[in-house]
Amino acid sequence: MSEILYIVVPCYNEQEVLPETAARLGRKLRELQEKEWINERSRVLFVNDGSKDGTWNLIRQYCGESEMFGGVNLSRNRGHQNALLAGITVAAEHADMLVSMDADLQDDIEAIDKMILAYRQGNDVVYGVRSSRKTDSFLKRNTAQLFYRLMKFLGAEIVYNHADYRLLSKRAARALLSFDEVNLFLRGIVPLVGFKSTSVYYERAERFAGKSKYPLGKMLTFAMEGITSLSVKPIRMITMGGAFICLVSLFMLVKAIADYCRGDVVPGWTSMMVSIWVLGGLQLFAIGVIGEYIGKTYLETKGRPRFIIESVILDEGEQSL
Ligand code: UDP
Ligand code: MG
């Protein structure tokens, strides 16, 4: 018997692109069902992440038109990662495997076939990896490049050029859900889940319609989130830096005393000012990094829910929670 697939799609203000996305994913699901690769009870599950436009109304409409579609409505906007997690939570209850992807059709949906094949060969996690970044803007391509390098340097294990397009088996999804951190950076946690995994490659297209919901500011926050939630290396680097500076200051002390003895004390204004500024800057930066981790700890200790589901539409119609 073929297995149940859920395609989980987080959506935030995606009314421009959603009609096309629903049409294409619907066709894909049909095609896979006709090939008997997946079960009749497979679904496309849209997660509405507190959109301010007509996104939820569209999702409702699709759910009404065909039982191929399902919807999860979050009580407010919680960000891409949390919305995705909400979708995975619902999908893990019903599906044998799930594929997560963005709503904007940047990820080539034909790669789903390859993912299912890899799943059938016994992989629990199949990463969708883009083979090129030709369609990204110069800025996005280079900042992304820098980000992966930095992550690698800091010792966080993430798959190069893989975002959130991936297949998870039921047990991998359940394992992922058992990581209950509030500071969520899924692509860093999935490798920690383990199980047999592989990658499939695809060309990434441009956004089909609508605007990117990740402007530069949000991207930087996301990168910071990724680094600080996966690695404590920055803190260690600060400690090392501090130790090094202490060592240097010891030499400076000796030099200062020697200069004093030689009566050579008035010049040095420049070097003094420079070192005050540099050290001041370094200290502030170091405190900032430490503060970042303390802030994270604070948020984790509160253990607030990562998302709140307002209602779910699956086979039984809309259910408010
Ligand atoms: N998204 C979301 N909540 C948000 C921001 C984005 O669910 O607060 C969804 C968005 O609808 C899309 C996916 O996350 O399906 C990726 O966003 P986008 O395509 O804008 O990011 P980019 O591809 O530009 O990095
Ligand atoms: Mg996109």
Side-chain angles (χ1 to χ4, degrees), residues 130 132-137 141 203-204 206:
R130 27 168 137 174
S132 78
R133 281 183 172 266
K134 281 196 294 252
T135 53
D136 275 2
S137 70
R141 188 165 57 228
E203 286 288 333
R204 197 158 206 245
E206 270 176 73

Side-chain angles (χ1 to χ4, degrees), residues 133 139-151 160-161:
R133 281 183 172 266
L139 183 75
K140 186 131 193 170
R141 188 165 57 228
N142 284 285
T143 47
Q145 194 78 231
L146 192 74
F147 173 65
Y148 284 108
R149 295 251 161 81
L150 192 64
M151 291 297 279
Y160 189 68
N161 268 349

Side-chain angles (χ1 to χ4, degrees), residues 10 12 14 49 77 80 103-104 106 140 207 212-214:
Y12 176 59
E14 297 286 11
D49 184 19
N77 179 249
H80 178 203
D104 56 4
Q106 282 192 285
K140 186 131 193 170
R207 194 172 235 288
S212 170
K213 275 78 194 174
Y214 273 106

